């Protein structure tokens, strides 16, 4: 062995850059450059000095020295060795761009170089670090069969990472399983299984997992891991049949595996799915929510009032501000508490997730959310809250059947509620043969409504009015001077009569906004407060117009307002005479003469003296009462409770006479309310049969 070679070995041993010394070889032809590679003593001495520089002065100066040798002696064995050493040194130093460039150049120049395999390995690993995933795969895959066990592990880990990064999840999983196959010894196998678990948890699709699992024999060391993962997937999918089969197979074939304990616990948990405590009712409410705590407190106190005097154990779970928590809490109430039914949630996102979980677990859920379509999720989802569609239907029915209106307009805010209610009302009107003559919108934070009022009565888009355009032409064609023409145009604009070709105007917004909109409409000569003949005559005399078109303002339950200092609803205090004669719909009216409403109001006032009664209070109380009546049938299972709840008919509740429709929506006759000079009054309606 030459002295230069001995020094190379000594250096590489201390720097851990190379694993073996190249064989002294005769001249070889460079594959890429096509030049003869020769041994040259001067080049060997230069390489020896460069190696010493690496050892004594560090990577930066060492790289410069090695590249200098490569440049000075490109067609020598020392020049190629310097190129390899430079690539390996750059790799260890974290300079992956330099490393990859040097090592690829070496392999291209001499593919049979003694260190070509190590060069390819390091070039592939450098490509991984640079996120050149496809290049890394192309470089490393052909090496797998010829690498040492340790190097093969590095390559397989890198390939799995590349496969995951390029979303080749199936390939990543197969590589990880293959690594378990090739692991030598307990420690290596443990490490390979840990890497497989990471791939399974973060980089595997259900289809790839299923395919790999089905192809794996139960004797394979990775089988218990993949089998337990399959069990968890089936649990998440609520596929109880396959879940039980997979858990049984795991415990039978691998009873001593690291996953057996968790499998037994999961098996025991699943077995509790059907275990029911007939007197336990769950509730999911945002009790710790920063924004909705008051809502949760309102629902809870009224639920407790509704269950007072019964043997119902109400188990309440706090969903906070995390919608994802709702589904987990439903699961807890089923598996851990044995609830026969669950009440809630109230919020839209929470309710959808909870409803999906309840349907999967086949536990009856009675939600208080307004979100449309909830009961379509499945036969275990009930709803007691008044929905936008129900309100819109009731308002359209009263307007068209009782009041005889056929034509309508809408002025609505660009909010979710405003849009949804408008659409529902529009559908209800057209279904009954009516017409929406116009619709205008406004910003949710608007505080003035001058432009919106002008749009509603046709005084904003003047270019669309033929009478105005005709008058403009007459003025322009006249012999008047410019000043008189300008004044005539101003008078023409101011003198335009409002165009009111509708009988009622829907305002689906809060009572605060309505009290601002109504006066703005009056400024544009829309008469909304002439439901009394004497009032109409007085307005005709004041305006000098014998033929006045009156309009009735319509609204949803958001028009309900608390009492102000005068004792009247604040809607009337703020809106004044301009909101008189209006009609709105609500799910609860505190002063109603309905027997169930009067009984609830009395009970509530006795329990919570001085507190305002809201729609949410009434609906929550009715919900508890409906659940109590279903429990009176003494159902022993969730299925029996569901049938009993569906069968409740004619309950005289706070919000009316209640029963459930075929779609498990509560049916009730909503309260039609009229704004009069004497306050808000309930409009008597004919009683419709429930059930």
């Amino acid at each position: 062995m030459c002295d230069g070679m001995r020094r190379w070995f000594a250096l590489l041993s201390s720097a851990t850059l190379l694993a073996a010394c190249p064989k002294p070889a005769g001249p070889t032809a460079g594959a890429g450059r096509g030049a003869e590679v020769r041994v040259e003593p001067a080049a060997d001495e230069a390489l020896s000095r460069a190696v010493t520089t690496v050892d004594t002065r560090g990577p930066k100066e060492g790289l410069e020295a090695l590249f200098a040798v490569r440049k000075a002696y490109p067609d020598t064995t020392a020049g190629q060795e310097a190129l390899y050493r430079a690539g390996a040194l750059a790799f260890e130093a974290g300079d992956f761009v330099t490393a990859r460039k040097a090592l690829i150049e070496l392999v291209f120049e001499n593919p049979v170089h003694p260190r070509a395999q190590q060069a390819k390995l390091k070039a592939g690993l450098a490509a991984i670090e640079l996120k050149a995933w496809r290049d890394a795969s192309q470089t490393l895959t052909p090496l797998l069969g010829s690498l040492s066990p340790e190097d093969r592990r590095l390559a397989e880990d890198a390939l799995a990472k590349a496969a995951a990064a390029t979303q080749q999840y199936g390939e990543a999983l197969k590589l990880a399983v293959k690594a378990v196959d090739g692991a030598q010894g307990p420690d290596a196998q443990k490490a390979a299984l840990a890497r497989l678990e990471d791939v399974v948890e973060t980089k595997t699709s259900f289809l790839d997992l299923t395919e790999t699992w089905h192809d794996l024999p139960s004797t394979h060391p990775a089988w218990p891991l993949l089998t337990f993962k399959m069990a968890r997937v089936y649990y998440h999918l609520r596929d109880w049949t396959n879940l039980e089969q997979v858990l049984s197979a795991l415990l039978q074939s691998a009873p001593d595996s690291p996953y057996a304990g968790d499998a037994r616990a999961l098996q025991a948990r699943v077995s509790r799915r059907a275990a029911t405590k007939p007197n336990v009712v769950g509730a999911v409410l945002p009790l710790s929510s920063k924004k909705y705590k008051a809502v949760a407190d309102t629902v809870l106190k009224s639920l407790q009032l509704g269950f007072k005097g019964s043997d119902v154990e109400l188990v309440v779970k706090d969903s906070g501000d995390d919608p994802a928590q709702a589904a987990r809490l439903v699961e807890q109430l089923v598996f851990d508490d044995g609830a026969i039914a669950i009440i809630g949630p109230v919020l839209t996102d929470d309710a959808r997730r909870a409803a999906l979980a309840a349907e999967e677990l086949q536990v009856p859920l009675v939600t208080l959310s307004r979100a449309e379509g909830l009961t379509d999720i499945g036969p275990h989802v009930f709803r007691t809250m008044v929905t936008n569609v129900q309100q819109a239907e009731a308002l359209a029915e009263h307007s068209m059947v009782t009041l005889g209106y056929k034509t309508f307009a809408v002025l609505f805010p660009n909010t979710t509620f405003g849009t949804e209610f408008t659409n529902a009302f529009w559908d209800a009107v057209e279904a009954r043969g009516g017409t929406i003559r116009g619709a205008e919108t406004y910003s949710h934070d608007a505080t003035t409504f001058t432009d919106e009022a002008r749009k509603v009565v046709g005084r904003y888009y003047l270019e669309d009015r033929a009478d105005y355009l005709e008058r403009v032409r007459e003025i322009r064609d006249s012999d008047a001077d410019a000043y008189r023409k300008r004044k005539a145009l101003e008078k023409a604009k101011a003198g335009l009569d409002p165009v009111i070709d509708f009988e009622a105007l829907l305002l689906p917004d809060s009572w605060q906004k309505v009290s601002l909109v109504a006066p703005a409409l009056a400024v544009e000569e829309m008469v909304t407060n002439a439901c009394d003949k004497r009032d109409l005559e007085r307005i005709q005399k004041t305006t000098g117009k014998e033929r006045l078109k009156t309009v009735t303002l319509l609204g949803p339950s958001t028009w309900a307002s608390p009492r102000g200092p005068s004792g009247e609803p604040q809607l009337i205090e703020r809106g004044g005479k301009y909101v008189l004669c209006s009609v709105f719909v609500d799910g609860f009216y505190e002063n109603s003469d309905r027997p169930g409403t009067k009984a609830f109001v009395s009970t509530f006032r006795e329990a919570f003296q001085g507190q305002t009664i809201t729609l949410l209070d009434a609906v929550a109380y009715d919900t508890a009462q409906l659940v109590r009546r279903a429990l009176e049938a003494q159902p022993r299972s969730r299925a029996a409770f569901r049938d009993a709840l569906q069968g409740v008919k004619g309950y005289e509740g706070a919000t009316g006479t209640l029963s459930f429709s075929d779609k498990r929506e509560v049916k009730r006759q909503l309260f039609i309310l009229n704004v009069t000079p004497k306050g808000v009054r309930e409009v008597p309606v004919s009683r419709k049969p429930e059930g």
Side-chain angles (χ1 to χ4, degrees):
M1 183 181 290
C2 64
D3 290 341
M5 286 292 156
R6 291 192 181 91
R7 284 194 291 271
W8 295 347
F9 266 114
L11 175 64
L12 294 177
S13 176
S14 63
T16 64
L17 289 174
L18 296 176
C21 178
K23 297 178 182 178
T28 59
R33 291 163 56 91
E36 186 178 284
V37 182
R38 62 187 184 281
V39 176
E40 186 174 319
D44 292 344
E45 288 298 326
L47 178 59
S48 179
R49 290 192 296 273
V51 169
T52 301
T53 300
V54 172
D55 197 33
T56 58
R57 299 189 182 182
K60 184 177 180 180
E61 292 189 33
L63 278 174
E64 292 176 357
L66 289 169
F67 281 125
V69 174
R70 164 66 179 172
K71 184 176 181 181
Y73 306 100
D75 299 324
T76 66
T77 55
Q80 289 188 348
E81 184 64 24
L83 185 59
Y84 172 79
R85 285 172 176 265
L89 180 61
F91 182 87
E92 296 295 335
D95 184 356
F96 300 112
V97 173
T98 300
R100 188 178 175 210
K101 181 178 179 181
L103 295 167
I104 289 176
E105 183 179 343
L106 172 66
V107 174
F108 175 73
E109 184 175 290
N110 188 359
V112 295
H113 187 277
R115 302 196 192 281
Q117 190 171 352
Q118 280 293 310
K120 292 177 183 177
L121 175 62
K122 285 183 168 56
L125 297 178
I128 291 291
E129 299 295 337
L130 296 171
K131 298 183 179 180
W133 311 116
R134 298 191 184 282
D135 288 349
S137 296
Q138 292 173 359
T139 302
L140 294 173
T141 301
L143 298 178
L144 291 177
S146 57
L147 292 173
S148 67
E150 180 62 23
D151 286 345
R152 185 170 66 248
R153 183 186 65 78
L154 291 174
E156 287 174 342
D157 286 350
L159 285 169
K161 189 174 183 180
T166 53
Q167 297 187 350
Q168 300 177 30
Y169 298 130
E171 187 63 25
L173 180 59
K174 290 176 183 177
L175 286 166
V177 170
K178 189 175 181 180
V180 174
D181 277 329
Q184 301 293 321
D187 291 341
Q189 187 178 89
K190 183 178 180 180
L193 286 170
R195 291 191 295 275
L196 173 61
E197 186 169 16
D198 178 67
V199 171
V200 167
E201 293 295 335
T202 62
K203 308 177 184 70
T204 300
S205 70
F206 176 58
L207 292 178
D208 291 329
L209 176 66
T210 304
E211 180 182 352
T212 302
W213 177 69
H214 277 300
D215 292 340
L216 212 61
S218 60
T219 54
H220 193 284
W223 185 83
L225 188 160
L226 297 185
T227 304
F228 187 64
K229 175 62 176 179
M230 287 295 300
R232 288 169 53 200
V233 170
Y234 285 133
Y235 180 86
H236 177 73
L237 296 174
R238 308 292 192 251
D239 187 342
W240 309 116
T241 301
N242 278 319
L243 172 59
E244 291 171 2
Q245 291 176 353
V246 168
L247 288 174
S248 297
L250 175 59
L251 294 173
Q252 182 176 354
S253 299
D256 299 322
S257 77
Y259 305 96
D262 288 338
R264 292 188 184 94
L266 184 57
Q267 193 176 55
R269 182 176 179 79
V270 173
S271 69
R272 296 199 300 272
R273 179 173 62 90
T276 304
K277 298 178 181 178
N279 68 321
V280 173
V281 175
V284 178
L285 300 170
L287 294 170
S288 63
S289 168
K290 295 179 181 178
K291 187 175 181 180
Y292 298 107
K293 185 181 187 310
V295 171
D297 291 343
T298 295
V299 172
L300 180 57
K301 79 173 189 293
S302 294
L303 286 178
Q304 291 170 335
L305 181 64
F307 285 124
K308 187 177 180 180
S310 71
D311 64 348
V312 171
E313 180 185 347
L314 185 64
V315 179
V316 184
K317 301 290 184 180
D318 177 19
S319 58
D321 285 312
D322 181 10
Q325 186 78 349
R328 293 192 291 269
L329 296 177
V330 167
E331 191 172 290
Q332 286 180 19
L333 287 165
V334 170
F335 286 110
D336 300 336
D337 300 292
I340 195 168
I342 298 171
I343 297 172
V346 180
L347 308 179
T348 297
D349 289 343
D350 298 38
R352 292 191 188 284
R353 296 180 186 229
L356 288 168
E359 191 56 43
E360 290 167 352
L361 295 169
Q362 298 182 344
V363 57
L365 179 86
V366 188
T367 180
L368 284 75
S369 169
R370 293 182 187 274
E372 300 296 342
L374 282 178
T375 61
D376 292 335
I377 289 174
H380 294 84
V381 183
F382 293 74
R383 188 216 308 272
T384 52
M385 178 53 75
V386 181
T387 68
N388 296 339
V389 169
Q390 290 170 349
Q391 291 189 58
E393 289 280 346
L395 200 56
E397 179 77 9
H398 177 73
S399 300
M400 300 184 71
V401 176
T402 303
L403 301 180
Y405 297 157
K406 294 295 183 183
T407 55
F408 301 84
V410 184
L411 179 58
F412 65 100
N414 60 352
T415 62
T416 300
F417 172 77
T419 302
E420 288 182 354
F421 198 96
T422 295
N423 289 336
F425 182 75
W426 201 314
D427 291 342
V429 166
E430 290 189 339
R432 291 166 172 79
T435 304
I436 302 293
R437 290 287 175 82
E440 297 289 346
T441 187
Y442 55 86
S443 173
H444 71 282
D445 55 357
T447 55
T448 59
F449 298 91
T450 301
D451 287 346
E452 287 75 13
R454 293 179 67 81
K455 291 176 182 177
V456 169
V457 301
R459 286 175 166 173
Y460 188 85
Y461 301 109
L462 298 181
E463 63 275 12
D464 293 336
R465 292 192 57 164
D467 56 346
Y468 173 72
L469 295 177
E470 179 63 27
R471 181 58 183 147
V472 169
R473 281 193 293 271
E474 291 175 358
I475 294 171
R476 288 176 178 171
D477 293 342
S478 69
D479 296 331
D481 57 30
Y483 173 78
R484 287 185 173 81
K485 285 183 177 180
R486 186 170 70 253
K487 287 297 182 180
L489 285 172
E490 291 174 359
K491 185 178 179 180
K493 287 183 181 179
L496 281 174
D497 288 331
V499 177
I500 301 175
D501 56 354
F502 47 88
E503 299 156 288
L505 175 66
L506 174 68
L507 296 173
D509 207 340
S510 67
W511 64 265
Q512 294 95 331
K513 289 293 178 66
V514 172
S515 65
L516 297 175
V517 173
L521 295 170
V523 171
E524 299 304 324
E525 300 181 62
M526 181 184 292
V527 180
T528 60
N529 59 325
C531 49
D532 185 274
K533 185 177 180 180
R534 287 173 297 180
D535 290 335
L536 180 59
E537 291 173 350
R538 186 166 53 251
I539 294 172
Q540 288 173 331
K541 184 176 181 181
T542 302
T543 60
K545 296 181 179 181
E546 289 298 319
R547 299 182 63 185
L548 280 178
K549 176 98 176 204
T550 61
V551 174
T552 300
L553 300 183
L554 306 175
S557 61
T558 49
W559 280 30
S561 61
R563 297 187 183 279
S566 69
E568 291 294 334
Q570 291 188 42
L571 170 67
I572 298 177
E573 285 189 352
R574 296 192 190 182
K577 63 182 181 180
Y578 304 110
V579 298
L580 298 181
C581 306
S582 299
V583 175
F584 67 99
V585 65
D586 206 345
F588 171 71
Y589 178 54
E590 184 176 349
N591 297 318
S592 175
D593 288 330
R594 298 183 188 183
T597 306
K598 293 177 71 173
F600 163 69
V601 170
S602 175
T603 300
F604 187 95
R605 286 175 176 168
E606 182 180 348
F608 309 110
Q609 296 180 10
Q611 291 191 28
T612 301
I613 310 177
T614 67
L615 171 62
L616 201 54
D617 284 305
V619 172
Y621 179 86
D622 279 350
T623 301
Q625 289 287 306
L626 288 168
V627 169
R628 283 183 68 166
R629 274 151 183 73
L631 290 174
E632 288 174 0
Q634 297 184 341
R636 310 307 296 177
S637 68
R638 296 186 179 104
F641 175 89
R642 194 200 75 82
D643 293 341
L645 185 62
Q646 180 78 67
V648 173
K649 304 290 182 184
Y651 162 63
E652 292 288 343
T655 60
T657 304
L658 310 181
S659 62
F660 283 99
S661 70
D662 292 341
K663 289 191 173 182
R664 300 164 307 285
E665 299 274 9
V666 157
K667 296 193 298 183
R668 53 166 68 86
Q669 194 162 26
L670 298 181
F671 298 85
I672 303 297
L673 304 174
N674 188 206
V675 183
T676 75
K678 295 182 179 180
V680 175
R681 296 290 183 267
E682 182 179 3
V683 177
V685 292
S686 59
R687 182 66 58 88
K688 293 182 179 180
E690 298 290 337

